[in-house]
């Protein structure tokens, strides 16, 4: 007997921004920073410092001349934010963070660092999940925080031009007020910056609808390691004048140059949005549900996310949200957005009815009032933070064909048994993107040895990618070969040498420590 109950809150047609502007990422997980001290990355993960110069008093004087006293951060307490990553698993030892306000200042800083052979770690909102945004040793932190001016939005073409340090949520609000939507949305939107998003080629919740940043970034201004300022292209949607160089910076994670300005294509803003939160009995049913949904709602589908019961429970408990549904093995979130509030709602209701009749969905809720959608999204977007409150998180962000995706979670759960606190899966099902998270009370290198290379080999065997959307940064730099050929890795090394001959930009990140022969 099916026990489906619609909890319908359909009296108010919500605006997308009304919901999203309330979502916040605090920058640091609310696990209190003083709870434990994060060990130095170099010690915890056994890394050797490369041959860079050491910062001197003269260097500090040069930096003060360029950005003024207020742009040079040196106090150990103030540096804590710049040295420790969001997951609190990496800690650098930098003694200076610089905060330029203009591209020219940033260029002057890089010119000096390159001449002196001082290593540099570019940093945006510091919400990255692979340890790429914080130094490993004493790299100079180059923060984009103060380069946050939004220049313009052409409401006819939808082209938004902004400095790289603008916070994603601020951009979202700016675009929304002008009838447009930023084609990217993630749980870290309250802290991450558009430059950091481009540097990581972030995916997130709207990827399914709007595609990759490779199709939405129209142009960039970047600064190379030697200080050369590079404006690219025309910011026109069609521009085939030569190699598409700006694409090499999308996803380069601060290793090829620093992004200082972004031109982004912002589509028209939908006027109505609805969200379903559904309980299902098996992953097989999740797949069938996706199949039905993608056929029925293709033109208005804006997110299709899944969570297993472990993620669901951890998230609502840690965030004190009352659970919308009773326990199920799996949950699915389907968001649609369009311009026909009544019509779209009817289509969603009729789909859910069909899914119920086929016994694919057992229980669920459909909402379109902003505060209700917000609390449902909180459960999904809060998983990352909730898990960090339970201990050390071994994070894997994988692309895997949908059919096989959850087999990996089950295999790893079986392999690890009771040696770990939990092993759970969630993610962007519509994009074949699984987030596999294993939690232990503290960091144990022997657990890593059980997980790796097992997970990477499993992923390669199923023709997936070992980094779907988070990048490689520091934590995943030595596993690139599971998804890239030796020839491709060598070409990347040559690109790095071309763009940054002294190797000062974000060392120990992205490229593997040793190269395939
Ligand atoms: P940072 O973390 O500061 O830096 C990330 C990398 O980019 C570093 O290597 C840094 O050196 C480089 N970088 C930063 N700014 C620049 C610049 N201007 N020029 C050159 N290099 C630069 N990611 C997803 O893809 N999808 C998600 O759904 C998603 N959800 C998240 C949810 C939460 C709660 C959190 C904490 C993170 C999430 N992330 C997600 C990861 C992260 O938010 C993204 O990678 C984001 O794009 C990073 O932006 P940032 O400004 O914080 O960059
Ligand atoms: C998400 O989709 O929630 C993010 O990518 C963060 C994570 O993987 O935990
Ligand atoms: Zn994600």
């Amino acid at each position: 007997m099916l026990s489906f109950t619609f909890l319908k809150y359909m009296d108010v047609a919500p605006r997308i921004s009304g919901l999203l502007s309330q979502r916040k990422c605090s920058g640091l997980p609310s696990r209190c920073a003083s709870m434990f001290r994060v060990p130095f990355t170099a010690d915890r993960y056994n890394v050797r410092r490369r041959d860079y110069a050491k910062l001197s008093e003269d260097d500090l004087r040069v930096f003060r001349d360029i950005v003024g006293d207020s742009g040079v951060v040196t106090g150990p307490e103030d540096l804590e934010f710049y040295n420790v990553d969001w997951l609190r698993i990496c800690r650098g030892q930098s003694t200076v963070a610089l905060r330029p306000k203009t591209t020219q200042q940033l260029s002057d800083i890089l010119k000096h660092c390159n001449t002196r052979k001082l290593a540099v770690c570019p940093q945006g909102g510091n919400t990255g999940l692979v340890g790429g945004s914080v130094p490993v040793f004493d790299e100079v932190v180059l923060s984009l925080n103060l380069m946050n001016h939004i220049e313009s939005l052409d409401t006819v073409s939808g082209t938004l031009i902004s400095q790289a340090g603008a916070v994603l949520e601020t951009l979202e609000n700016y675009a929304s007020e002008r009838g447009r939507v930023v084609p990217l949305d993630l749980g870290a939107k309250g802290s991450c910056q558009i430059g950091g998003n481009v540097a990581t080629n972030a995916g997130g919740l709207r990827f399914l609808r709007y595609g990759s940043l490779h199709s939405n970034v129209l142009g960039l201004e970047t600064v190379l390691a030697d200080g050369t300022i590079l404006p690219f292209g025309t910011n026109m949607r069609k521009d085939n004048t030569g190699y598409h160089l700006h694409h090499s910076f999308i996803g380069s994670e601060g290793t090829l140059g620093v992004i200082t300005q972004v031109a982004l294509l912002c589509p028209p803003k939908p006027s109505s949005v609805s969200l379903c939160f559904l309980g299902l009995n098996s992953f097989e049913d999740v797949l069938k549900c996706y199949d039905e949904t993608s056929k029925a709602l293709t033109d208005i589908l804006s997110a299709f996310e899944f969570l297993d019961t472990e993620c669901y429970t951890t998230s609502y408990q840690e965030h004190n949200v009352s659970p919308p549904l009773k326990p199920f093995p799996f949950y699915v979130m389907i968001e649609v957005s369009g311009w026909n509030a009544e019509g779209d709602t009817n289509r969603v209701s009729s789909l859910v009815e069909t899914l119920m009749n086929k016994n694919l969905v057992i229980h669920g809720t459909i909402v379109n009032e902003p505060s209700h959608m917000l609390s449902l999204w909180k459960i999904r977007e809060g998983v990352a933070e909730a898990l960090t409150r339970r201990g050390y998180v071994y994070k894997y962000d994988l692309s895997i064909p949908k059919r096989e995706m959850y087999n990996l979670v089950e295999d790893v759960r079986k392999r690890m048994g009771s040696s770990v606190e939990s092993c759970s899966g969630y993610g962007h099902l519509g994009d074949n993107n699984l987030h596999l998270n294993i939690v232990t009370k503290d960091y144990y290198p022997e657990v890593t040895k059980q997980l790796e290379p097992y997970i990477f080999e499993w992923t390669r065997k199923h023709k997936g990618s070992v980094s779907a959307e988070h990048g490689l940064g520091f934590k995943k730099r030595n596993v690139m070969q599971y998804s890239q050929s030796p020839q491709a890795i060598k070409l990347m090394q040559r690109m790095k040498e071309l763009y940054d001959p002294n190797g000062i930009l974000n060392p120990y990140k992205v490229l593997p420590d040793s190269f395939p022969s």
Side-chain angles (χ1 to χ4, degrees):
M1 186 59 184
L2 292 177
S3 63
F4 191 91
T5 332
F6 273 151
L7 305 174
K8 290 188 180 175
Y9 304 102
M10 299 189 179
D11 46 331
V12 185
R15 297 184 319 142
I16 275 199
S17 60
L19 161 68
L20 300 178
S21 61
Q22 294 167 62
R23 295 197 220 148
K24 275 261 181 247
C25 167
S26 54
L28 280 175
S30 31
R31 200 155 55 121
C32 170
S34 63
M35 200 166 107
F36 66 94
R37 191 182 153 82
V38 182
F40 288 129
T41 301
D43 299 339
R44 182 179 247 183
Y45 306 109
N46 195 16
V47 198
R48 282 184 56 191
R49 188 180 183 279
R50 293 182 197 156
D51 187 21
Y52 296 105
K54 293 226 157 148
L55 190 78
S56 69
E57 280 304 318
D58 282 347
D59 295 319
L60 288 176
R61 262 192 291 279
V62 172
F63 294 147
R64 287 198 179 98
D65 282 349
I66 298 171
V67 289
D69 287 350
S70 63
V72 180
V73 181
T74 51
E77 273 174 26
D78 294 338
L79 285 169
E80 177 81 4
F81 175 81
Y82 300 95
N83 271 320
V84 179
D85 73 329
W86 187 89
L87 280 171
R88 298 187 59 74
I89 60 172
C90 289
R91 176 188 288 278
Q93 305 169 41
S94 184
T95 54
V96 67
L98 302 175
R99 298 169 12 116
K101 285 189 177 142
T102 64
T103 299
Q104 191 57 53
Q105 288 178 354
L106 192 143
S107 157
D108 292 344
I109 290 168
L110 283 180
K111 201 181 290 175
H112 177 78
C113 292
N114 193 48
T115 311
R116 281 271 294 123
K117 221 174 168 232
L118 285 169
V120 175
C121 174
Q123 189 178 88
N126 196 7
T127 66
L129 297 172
V130 284
S133 54
V134 288
V136 174
F137 289 94
D138 54 349
E139 296 90 285
V140 171
V141 176
L142 187 51
S143 165
L144 275 288
N145 280 350
L146 300 183
M147 293 184 60
N148 57 6
H149 176 65
I150 304 172
E151 202 167 286
S152 60
L153 170 58
D154 179 337
T155 51
V156 177
S157 66
T159 306
L160 173 75
I161 300 190
S162 171
Q163 272 190 310
V167 168
L168 181 60
E169 188 174 55
T170 311
L171 275 189
E172 173 61 41
N173 293 338
Y174 180 92
S176 169
E177 283 156 18
R178 291 158 181 80
R180 295 273 166 172
V181 66
V182 173
L184 172 77
D185 181 31
L186 39 138
K189 69 186 293 172
S191 302
C192 65
Q193 301 172 2
I194 190 64
N197 300 146
V198 173
T200 54
N201 190 24
L205 304 161
R206 287 185 193 156
F207 191 99
L208 180 69
R209 174 72 163 260
Y210 300 114
S212 153
L213 281 173
H214 280 286
S215 50
N216 295 307
V217 171
L218 300 176
L220 293 176
E221 175 191 77
T222 63
V223 182
L224 293 183
D226 67 1
T228 306
I229 300 174
L230 277 179
F232 288 122
T234 56
N235 295 342
M236 298 303 288
R237 202 158 176 209
K238 294 181 91 171
D239 178 5
N240 273 349
T241 49
Y243 306 131
H244 294 202
L245 286 178
H246 72 272
H247 285 277
S248 59
F249 294 88
I250 303 176
S252 67
E253 300 179 63
T255 60
L256 296 182
V258 180
I259 297 162
T260 46
Q261 194 181 72
V262 178
L264 192 66
L265 187 62
C266 294
K269 185 181 73 168
S271 58
S272 80
V273 62
S274 304
L275 181 64
C276 312
F277 201 107
L278 311 172
L280 299 90
N281 273 334
S282 68
F283 193 69
E284 194 52 38
D285 289 349
V286 171
L287 295 179
K288 287 182 187 152
C289 177
Y290 174 75
D291 190 42
E292 299 267 351
T293 306
S294 58
K295 284 174 191 151
L297 305 175
T298 321
D299 52 318
I300 50 171
L301 190 60
S302 48
F304 192 103
E305 300 286 315
F306 91 98
L307 307 90
D308 66 13
T309 202
E310 177 75 37
C311 299
Y312 173 76
T313 312
T314 310
S315 187
Y316 82 70
Q317 286 176 352
E318 290 293 340
H319 296 296
N320 277 328
V321 178
S322 58
L325 303 182
K326 67 179 177 108
F328 281 97
F330 291 95
Y331 301 87
V332 153
M333 293 181 75
I334 302 169
E335 188 192 75
V336 295
S337 40
W339 287 268
N340 177 353
E342 206 186 319
D344 294 350
T345 302
N346 289 341
R347 285 174 67 191
V348 174
S349 305
S350 128
L351 170 74
V352 174
E353 226 170 293
T354 307
L355 295 173
M356 268 175 58
N357 289 338
K358 292 188 176 182
N359 271 0
L360 296 175
V361 165
I362 310 303
H363 194 219
T365 172
I366 304 180
V367 296
N368 67 358
E369 198 277 312
S371 67
H372 294 132
M373 291 196 286
L374 182 66
S375 45
L376 294 182
W377 272 119
K378 191 164 180 159
I379 295 174
R380 164 62 186 89
E381 294 190 338
V383 176
E385 182 174 334
L387 291 172
T388 67
R389 296 193 197 165
R390 300 274 169 107
Y392 183 97
V393 185
Y394 306 76
K395 240 179 191 322
Y396 299 92
D397 161 42
L398 312 158
S399 273
I400 297 183
K402 289 185 190 57
R403 245 173 237 300
E404 277 95 38
M405 193 183 268
Y406 204 76
N407 293 344
L408 175 60
V409 183
E410 283 167 347
D411 284 0
V412 172
R413 196 175 281 145
K414 207 160 134 202
R415 182 178 172 82
M416 303 311 287
S418 57
S419 66
V420 298
E421 296 296 307
S422 69
C423 173
S424 57
Y426 62 103
H428 316 289
L429 188 93
D431 311 324
N432 295 352
N433 187 177
L434 170 72
H435 294 313
L436 164 64
N437 289 253
I438 296 95
V439 179
T440 55
K441 283 220 165 76
D442 209 337
Y443 171 66
Y444 304 113
E446 52 281 19
V447 169
T448 305
K449 285 195 192 123
Q450 280 291 306
L451 296 169
E452 301 174 14
Y454 180 81
I455 291 171
F456 303 126
E457 280 169 357
W458 200 106
T459 304
R460 176 165 58 190
K461 199 169 123 204
H462 292 86
K463 304 204 173 356
S465 164
V466 292
S467 177
E469 60 173 6
H470 296 164
L472 296 170
F474 168 76
K475 291 282 293 168
K476 301 279 157 46
R477 72 196 186 286
N478 286 322
V479 300
M480 189 194 258
Q481 79 276 10
Y482 288 95
S483 302
Q484 295 287 351
S485 66
Q487 294 85 341
I489 299 177
K490 275 195 168 170
L491 192 57
M492 290 190 214
Q493 181 194 17
R494 286 173 63 192
M495 274 174 75
K496 172 72 178 172
E497 284 163 6
L498 179 69
Y499 283 66
D500 176 19
N502 289 339
I504 63 160
L505 281 177
N506 228 4
Y508 325 101
K509 316 283 172 61
V510 181
L511 292 170
D513 291 341
S514 56
F515 291 95
S517 54

